[in-house]
Amino acid sequence: MTRNLVLLPGLLCDSRLWRDPLGAIGEVVSPTIADLTLDDSIAAMAARTLAQAPASFALAGLSMGGYVALEIMRQAPERVTHLALLDTSARPDDEERRAKRRAGIESIKLGKFIGVSRALLASLLTQEHQDTPLAEEVQAMSERVGQEAYISQQTAILGRIDSRPSLGAIAVPTLVGVGEADMLTPLAMAEEMAAGIDGAELVVFPDSAHLPTMENPAAVVVALRKWLER
């Protein structure tokens, strides 16, 4: 059976984030990749996605996309058949992370947008993939998303609510996945989400950091196939 699948990219990510997994599961899904570059709140991103999505669908979000996925589960849970939360968190930022986001926005307003900085790239990919064509693809992806969307997305992330209280209301087959070397949304955050969602399956993707769909798509595909069959 072919399932409608809505995919939610992360900060400074576009359809390239999902290209490799989709190449392997395309025969079992009808995919829609949401555009999360147009709004400056998580609620608005969720509402726009819902307005353009099929009547019912499986839903997968990575990082910022996970924040939007959790908001969709609040706005229209009856439309979602399956939920996948990859390399994300139900927690709001702590003050240190919020300060870094605000500083990033201010620097961009001064005309210093360079896409993914070298420091951020070190958090997105494992050491093995630094200074490789894959790193260049991540940089190019961020440049395509661009400065205006970066500011809107960071503003949305800063304003997101604490999703932990609503985890218990999720009642669809749920996959919680995280790269084993993810420093931005580490394993403890994935464990917290999985513990809060009844029946959630927790999967750790080896040889990957914050972007396992690009670093280890084969492992992600195995998890997605099992999830979609639930």
Side-chain angles (χ1 to χ4, degrees), residues 54-122:
S56 67
F57 52 89
L59 179 65
L62 185 146
S63 194
M64 181 189 72
Y67 310 151
V68 179
L70 288 168
E71 176 62 24
I72 286 174
M73 295 305 297
R74 287 187 288 271
Q75 291 189 16
E78 72 284 354
R79 293 177 60 185
V80 180
T81 64
H82 295 67
L83 176 66
L85 302 167
L86 307 183
D87 297 85
T88 190
S89 172
R91 291 174 171 259
D93 286 341
D94 59 24
E95 189 49 44
E96 179 181 0
R97 182 70 69 85
R98 290 175 61 83
K100 288 181 179 179
R101 292 193 195 278
R102 287 191 291 262
I105 291 172
E106 290 307 311
S107 69
I108 298 309
K109 290 178 178 178
L110 296 175
K112 297 179 180 178
F113 183 74
I114 58 171
V116 172
S117 68
R118 193 168 187 83
L120 179 55
L121 192 62

Side-chain angles (χ1 to χ4, degrees), residues 71-211:
E71 176 62 24
I72 286 174
M73 295 305 297
R74 287 187 288 271
Q75 291 189 16
E78 72 284 354
R79 293 177 60 185
V80 180
T81 64
H82 295 67
L83 176 66
L85 302 167
L86 307 183
D87 297 85
T88 190
S89 172
R91 291 174 171 259
D93 286 341
D94 59 24
E95 189 49 44
E96 179 181 0
R97 182 70 69 85
R98 290 175 61 83
K100 288 181 179 179
R101 292 193 195 278
R102 287 191 291 262
I105 291 172
E106 290 307 311
S107 69
I108 298 309
K109 290 178 178 178
L110 296 175
K112 297 179 180 178
F113 183 74
I114 58 171
V116 172
S117 68
R118 193 168 187 83
L120 179 55
L121 192 62
S123 298
L124 296 176
L125 300 175
T126 58
Q127 182 60 40
E128 175 187 358
H129 289 116
Q130 304 294 320
D131 301 311
T132 67
L134 183 61
E136 293 174 3
E137 288 193 64
V138 173
Q139 177 68 41
M141 179 169 63
S142 70
E143 292 174 357
R144 287 193 299 272
V145 174
Q147 173 176 321
E148 184 176 344
Y150 171 82
I151 293 173
S152 294
Q153 290 177 344
Q154 287 285 40
T155 300
I157 293 170
L158 278 166
R160 76 186 190 277
I161 68 171
D162 188 342
S163 290
R164 288 173 292 180
S166 61
L167 292 177
I170 295 172
V172 296
T174 300
L175 166 67
V176 178
V178 62
E180 66 175 352
D182 192 341
M183 296 181 290
L184 294 177
T185 53
L187 176 59
M189 293 185 178
E191 290 174 333
E192 180 178 57
M193 287 188 297
I197 301 171
D198 187 37
E201 179 182 11
L202 176 63
V203 177
V204 178
F205 303 120
D207 305 316
S208 58
H210 195 60
L211 303 176

Side-chain angles (χ1 to χ4, degrees), residues 1 3 28 82 173 221-230:
M1 180 179 68
R3 291 189 180 277
V28 298
H82 295 67
V221 165
V222 170
L224 291 179
R225 283 188 179 277
K226 182 178 179 182
W227 164 67
L228 289 168
E229 291 170 358
R230 290 174 63 187

